[in-house]
């Protein structure tokens, strides 16, 4: 009898644990983990996305945003900070569903590899090596079956800086196209002008329609209101990209309610 009682209790406990385990596994499978990788622009987008997600009932408990961006970093000086190597740690630590990359602001300089081989800025060799480094970073972020979105650099105030950003966007887009990986995509940057050529403007309409300062005084970065605009653009891209891979996500939540 004692054996029978113990066995029955053990069985009942095991049966009670099954739904809990199933719910835990289901919640883990439903979770969306987005790692933000790159420089100060990526960090600003992490902040904007954090604010926006906190106001979306369908996302706030489900989307986890990982802050991995490092200000002042890039791909050209791995002796200072090696994103190709560091990206492996991002995947191992955070296990992202998707990684968002924004880089290039700090790369208006020659590339000096870890073996001290140098590629001078403005040369074809520099462009080739920069594309190779971009692809190596993406490949590492793809390990563990995570997806990758690389968002292009936005319009900048200084013409020389903007010409450089446009060249880098072209390199990023082509490097990602060459990978031919359906789980990797280059995302065109947020545009201040929805039609026609884009132009740098320090003021614009925020997400609520009010005219406010959206660009920082350095002509590069954004204010908090500006990062909210960029992050809203990014979250729409993230949602559409993940839906195409079978991961249910909507931004904003009202879109989910309408379907």
């Amino acid at each position: 009898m004692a054996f029978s009682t113990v066995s029955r209790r053990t069985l009942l406990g095991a049966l009670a644990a099954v739904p809990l385990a199933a719910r835990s596994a289901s919640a883990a499978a439903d979770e969306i983990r987005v790692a933000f990788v790159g420089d100060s622009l990526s960090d600003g987008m992490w902040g904007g996305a954090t604010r926006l997600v906190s106001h979306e009932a369908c996302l706030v408990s489900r989307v986890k945003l990982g802050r991995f961006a490092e200000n002042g970093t890039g791909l050209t000086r791995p002796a200072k900070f090696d994103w190709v190597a560091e990206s492996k740690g991002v995947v191992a630590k955070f296990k992202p569903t998707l990684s968002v990359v924004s880089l290039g602001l700090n790369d208006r300089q020659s590339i000096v590899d870890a073996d001290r081989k140098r590629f001078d800025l403005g040369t074809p060799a520099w462009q080739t090596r920069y594309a190779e480094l971009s692809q190596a970073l993406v490949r590492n972020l793809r390990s563990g079956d995570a997806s990758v979105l690389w968002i292009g650099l936005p319009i900048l105030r200084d013409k020389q800086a903007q010409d450089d950003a446009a060249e880098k966007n072209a390199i990023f887009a082509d490097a990602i196209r060459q990978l031919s990986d359906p789980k990797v995509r280059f995302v065109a940057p947020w545009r201040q002008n929805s039609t026609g050529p884009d132009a740098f403007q320090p003021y614009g309409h925020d997400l609520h329609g009010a005219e406010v300062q959206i660009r920082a005084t350095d002509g590069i970065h954004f204010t908090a209101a500006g990062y909210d605009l960029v992050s809203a653009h990014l979250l729409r891209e993230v949602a559409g990209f993940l839906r195409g891979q079978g991961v249910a996500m909507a931004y904003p939540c009202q879109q989910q309610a309408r379907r």
Side-chain angles (χ1 to χ4, degrees), residues 29-240:
D30 196 48
E31 188 175 73
I32 297 172
R33 304 175 68 83
V34 182
F36 283 78
V37 169
D39 54 29
S40 52
L41 276 181
S42 182
D43 197 44
M45 285 186 279
W46 169 86
T50 299
R51 288 189 292 274
L52 298 181
V53 166
S54 70
H55 296 295
E56 297 291 336
C58 69
L59 300 179
V60 65
S61 63
R62 184 180 175 221
V63 174
K64 308 300 180 186
L65 304 177
R67 187 181 189 181
F68 295 98
E70 294 286 343
N71 293 353
T73 62
L75 294 172
T76 53
R77 298 297 168 92
K80 176 184 177 183
F81 193 92
D82 189 347
W83 265 119
V84 175
E86 291 290 335
S87 57
K88 295 179 180 179
V90 172
V91 173
K93 178 180 180 180
F94 190 64
K95 296 178 174 55
T97 310
L98 177 144
S99 292
V100 170
V101 181
S102 177
L103 279 168
L105 289 180
N106 306 298
D107 287 335
R108 290 174 61 187
Q109 59 185 346
S110 59
I111 297 171
V112 180
D113 277 346
D115 61 3
R116 307 185 75 77
K117 186 174 182 179
R118 184 184 181 92
F119 303 83
D120 291 329
L121 181 65
T123 64
W126 187 98
Q127 295 176 340
T128 299
R129 183 57 180 154
Y130 198 65
E132 291 171 349
L133 292 168
S134 304
Q135 291 174 333
L137 171 58
V138 168
R139 288 191 185 98
N140 285 349
L141 291 174
R142 275 284 285 118
S143 61
D145 204 37
S147 303
V148 180
L149 285 183
W150 193 306
I151 185 166
L153 295 168
I155 190 88
L156 304 178
R157 183 177 59 197
D158 178 73
K159 184 181 184 305
Q160 187 176 4
Q162 173 52 31
D163 289 345
D164 179 77
E167 179 186 13
K168 285 188 171 65
N169 284 346
I171 292 173
F172 297 144
D174 188 58
I176 288 171
R177 180 189 60 78
Q178 289 181 26
L179 290 175
S180 299
D181 187 337
K183 299 193 74 171
V184 180
R185 180 183 297 175
F186 175 79
V187 176
W190 171 82
R191 290 170 52 87
Q192 195 153 352
N193 292 339
S194 57
T195 59
D198 203 10
F200 181 92
Q201 300 173 58
Y203 290 85
H205 293 98
D206 66 11
L207 290 175
H208 305 289
E211 187 168 353
V212 297
Q213 184 175 346
I214 60 174
R215 299 302 294 263
T217 55
D218 63 6
I220 298 172
H221 296 89
F222 292 83
T223 63
Y227 276 120
D228 286 353
L229 289 168
V230 177
S231 299
H233 163 69
L234 177 62
L235 286 173
R236 287 190 292 270
E237 293 287 340
V238 167

